[in-house]
């Protein structure tokens, strides 16, 4: 028994990578991708056949760079699904984060590409940034049987809005919360028992379980093994390959830390748009990290655009 084996007894383990060889080796249940991960993988010579295939399909269909990138996301997703028994998360362009209808249209297009490739929509999670507009897009998509993963989630207002909208899954970012508080406190590290990222996910998990929400909680963006292990029992945990390897090398069993039968009581809150925006605005960390996350994904999305455009020329 290793720490990774033990963790799999308490939580669904998801690989946070676009590296298909790592996914095949580590054998997670699910996998997640985003523009940053795809940019890295698209530039890897091992995956050039996937890239060439996506570009050829786009050219044959008379599509532009955007169409080619959609096909590239789906090509990687289809390949990843050969190595995981569960689902793959595919992200909507971060530049659509404040446009509900455009996000819905992009999500439906991605699902249509997956279905044309023979992949059931039940095996795909559409990733959307947790803006108010992203949550509203997810609410409509869920009604159409398109399941969503709301990402770049940092605060309780975002989590409550997602649960009320019936979103399938959320990805609260442990490591980026930790980073923000380290910077604010001007320290290099924060002890696990005081880790604000771990505390945030624990609070969201307890709130969901206490009030009977079906939305799954997937802790994400980890900086160290201890953060992962402190959330053993969370519905899902998406973990980078280097941390998965470290856990696979550690012998022993892990204690379950999150449990639906042991939750901290919290009053149920219902948010309309005005209440959501106020509560979110009260959380400086969540406001700053959501905006920063969208900007970071946009930078890599633009780099991917330029890379693919160069190949198409």
């Amino acid at each position: 028994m290793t720490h990774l084996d033990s963790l799999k007894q308490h939580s669904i383990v998801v690989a946070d990578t676009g590296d298909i060889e790592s996914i095949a080796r580590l054998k997670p249940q699910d996998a997640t991708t985003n523009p940053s991960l795809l940019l890295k993988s698209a530039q890897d010579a091992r995956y050039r056949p996937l890239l060439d295939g996506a570009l050829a399909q786009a050219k044959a269909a008379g599509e532009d760079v955007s169409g080619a990138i959609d096909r590239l996301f789906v090509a990687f997703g289809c390949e990843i699904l050969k190595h995981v028994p569960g689902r793959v998360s595919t992200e909507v362009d971060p530049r659509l984060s404040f446009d509900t209808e455009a996000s819905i249209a992009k999500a439906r297009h991605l699902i249509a590409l997956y279905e044309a490739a023979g992949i059931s929509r039940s095996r795909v999670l559409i990733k959307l940034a947790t803006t108010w507009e992203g949550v509203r897009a997810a609410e409509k998509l869920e009604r159409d049987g398109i399941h969503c993963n709301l990402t770049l989630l940092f605060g309780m207002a975002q989590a409550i809005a997602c649960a009320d909208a019936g979103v399938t899954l959320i990805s609260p970012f442990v490591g980026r919360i930790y980073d923000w508080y380290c910077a604010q406190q001007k320290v290099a590290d924060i002890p696990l028992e005081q880790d604000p990222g771990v505390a945030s996910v624990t609070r969201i998990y307890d709130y969901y379980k206490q009030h009977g929400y079906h939305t799954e909680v997937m802790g994400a963006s980890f900086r160290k093994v201890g953060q992962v292990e402190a959330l053993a029992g969370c519905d899902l945990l998406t973990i980078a390959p280097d941390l998965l390897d470290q856990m696979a090398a550690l012998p022993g069993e892990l204690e379950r830390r999150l449990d639906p039968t042991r939750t901290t009581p919290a009053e149920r809150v219902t948010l309309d748009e005005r209440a959501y925006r106020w509560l979110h605005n009260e959380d400086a960390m969540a406001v700053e990290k959501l905006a920063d996350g969208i900007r970071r994904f946009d930078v890599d999305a633009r780099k991917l655009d330029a890379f693919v455009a160069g190949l198409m020329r």
Side-chain angles (χ1 to χ4, degrees), residues 53-209:
L55 295 179
Q57 289 178 338
K59 287 180 180 179
E63 295 171 345
D64 59 9
V65 170
S66 178
I69 289 173
D70 289 344
R71 290 184 183 273
L72 183 59
F73 264 104
V74 172
F76 269 89
C78 289
E79 190 65 24
I80 286 169
L81 287 172
K82 295 177 183 178
H83 303 285
V84 300
R87 305 167 294 189
V88 67
S89 290
T90 297
E91 189 147 352
V92 164
D93 190 321
R95 289 163 285 193
L96 304 180
S97 296
F98 303 102
D99 190 329
T100 297
E101 294 306 318
S103 293
I104 291 170
K106 179 66 78 173
R108 287 176 176 160
H109 177 60
L110 290 169
I111 289 296
L113 291 176
Y114 271 112
E115 291 180 334
I119 301 296
S120 167
R121 64 178 58 187
S122 65
R123 298 198 68 198
V124 180
L125 291 171
I126 295 296
K127 286 180 79 172
L128 297 154
T130 313
T131 58
W132 178 259
E133 295 80 5
V135 175
R136 299 282 67 80
E139 184 175 40
K140 292 183 179 180
L141 290 167
E142 293 281 359
R143 291 172 185 166
D144 292 339
I146 297 174
H147 302 303
C148 298
N149 170 358
L150 272 288
T151 187
L152 294 176
L153 193 149
F154 302 97
M156 203 64 194
Q158 293 172 292
I160 292 169
C162 288
D164 286 341
V167 168
T168 295
L169 183 147
I170 62 167
S171 297
F173 275 35
V174 176
R176 295 196 194 186
I177 296 174
Y178 164 86
D179 292 345
W180 191 89
Y181 279 97
C182 282
Q184 289 292 308
Q185 297 173 20
K186 296 181 172 57
V187 296
D189 189 26
I190 297 174
L192 274 175
E193 61 272 17
Q194 300 169 22
D195 190 305
V198 170
S200 178
V201 175
T202 301
R203 181 185 177 200
I204 292 167
Y205 176 92
D206 285 356
Y207 182 86
Y208 278 16
K209 301 312 175 189

Side-chain angles (χ1 to χ4, degrees), residues 37-58:
L37 295 174
L38 192 64
L39 173 64
K40 182 178 179 181
S41 294
Q43 295 172 323
D44 189 324
R46 294 174 296 170
Y47 307 125
R48 187 57 188 256
L50 290 178
L51 179 59
D52 289 342
L55 295 179
Q57 289 178 338

Side-chain angles (χ1 to χ4, degrees), residues 7-8 10-14 30 87 168-170 201 204-205 208-209 213-219 231-238 256 258 260:
L7 181 67
K8 289 179 178 180
H10 304 306
S11 301
I12 293 174
V13 172
V14 181
D30 295 352
R87 305 167 294 189
T168 295
L169 183 147
I170 62 167
V201 175
I204 292 167
Y205 176 92
Y208 278 16
K209 301 312 175 189
Y213 286 113
H214 297 296
T215 299
E216 299 169 294
V217 181
M218 181 169 74
L231 293 172
C234 193
D235 300 322
L236 305 94
L237 296 167
T238 182
R256 179 166 188 163
L258 303 189

